[in-house]
Amino acid sequence: MLAWGGSYKKIGAGEIIFQEGDACFYYYQVTEGKVRWVNYNNDGKEFIQNIMEPGESFGEMPLFDDGPYAATAIADVDSIVIRLPRSLFVQLVKENSDINFNFSKLMALRQRYEFLMLKTMAFEKPEVRISTLLAYFHGKPCNCSKHPYQVNLTRQQIANMTGLRVETVIREIRNLQLTGHLKIVKGKVIMP
């Protein structure tokens, strides 16, 4: 990305990178830290669409459909991202079929995750919603080599990603521990 005109940008914890409805001017990729991608309802309740870790990009949809951002991106912790101007990103994708194919594959994987979570939230009990989310994060490319896997999500983040109340998440995580689906070690959730 740097060779194509990208640049590093430091972002402080809690800083908004872009807001839902903003016009898109850059391709973004996390190099350090974590970025959450969120929507808010009319009451200000946050729904986390996803949490991006180093090596992952975010906010790509407007690069292709010319629409505004569909969610707000916020740094969870002090982070560094690479920003590549939109026009240079489009040129990069058009001139490199391998990058274009990999990007198409990434978009398909993200759409599959969205379908999985929508189906789970619409039809499943809280413990299934939580288990599905944790299994997804366990299988992300940046985590798949870690067995057992320590879940790096707070109970509040899990609630915000599943549409549940944090009290429900706490109760269901305890139940999942009792049934042997996960372990809790010093307050941390561990997936076997």
Side-chain angles (χ1 to χ4, degrees):
M1 295 297 148
L2 298 174
W4 278 83
S7 60
Y8 289 107
K9 180 167 175 61
K10 291 183 180 183
I11 301 163
E15 187 177 334
I16 294 173
I17 300 165
F18 56 75
Q19 291 188 312
E20 180 178 354
D22 285 352
C24 174
F25 298 106
Y26 295 98
Y27 162 84
Y28 291 94
Q29 184 171 323
V30 181
T31 59
E32 290 181 30
K34 285 185 182 182
V35 173
R36 72 183 187 274
W37 208 20
V38 303
N39 293 108
Y40 296 95
N41 69 11
N42 290 337
D43 297 329
K45 183 177 179 188
E46 181 178 275
F47 178 79
I48 300 175
Q49 294 286 348
N50 212 329
I51 296 177
M52 304 306 171
E53 297 180 345
E56 295 182 299
S57 59
F58 57 95
E60 304 91 346
M61 202 173 359
L63 295 167
F64 294 95
D65 72 1
D66 296 323
Y69 285 114
T72 298
I74 305 168
D76 261 358
V77 297
D78 289 343
S79 301
I80 298 175
V81 298
I82 294 177
R83 288 188 332 174
L84 180 66
R86 179 183 184 172
S87 60
L88 297 176
F89 173 81
V90 170
Q91 181 182 351
L92 171 69
V93 171
K94 283 182 178 180
E95 293 179 13
N96 294 277
S97 60
D98 288 348
I99 291 174
N100 191 335
F101 178 77
N102 287 334
F103 216 82
S104 296
K105 187 175 178 180
L106 170 69
M107 298 300 272
L109 289 171
R110 293 228 177 115
Q111 187 173 21
R112 183 173 299 281
Y113 164 73
E114 293 296 330
F115 275 110
L116 175 67
M117 291 308 297
L118 282 172
K119 179 181 109 176
T120 302
M121 288 175 25
F123 299 121
E124 300 295 346
K125 297 177 183 175
E127 66 269 14
V128 176
R129 290 186 196 185
I130 294 166
S131 295
T132 301
L133 178 72
L134 298 180
Y136 166 77
F137 272 89
H138 183 288
K140 281 178 88 170
C142 54
N143 296 327
C144 62
S145 63
K146 298 177 186 175
H147 296 283
Y149 165 66
Q150 178 179 316
V151 176
N152 291 319
L153 299 171
T154 66
R155 306 312 193 260
Q156 185 64 60
Q157 287 172 323
I158 294 169
N160 290 355
M161 294 179 90
T162 57
L164 299 169
R165 294 171 39 100
V166 73
E167 297 83 0
T168 303
V169 169
I170 292 167
R171 182 180 63 249
E172 294 303 331
I173 285 178
R174 276 193 214 121
N175 289 340
L176 289 167
Q177 178 189 24
L178 292 173
T179 59
H181 289 91
L182 56 80
K183 294 180 182 179
I184 300 176
V185 179
K186 295 183 182 176
K188 300 293 183 183
V189 175
I190 309 293
M191 297 290 292

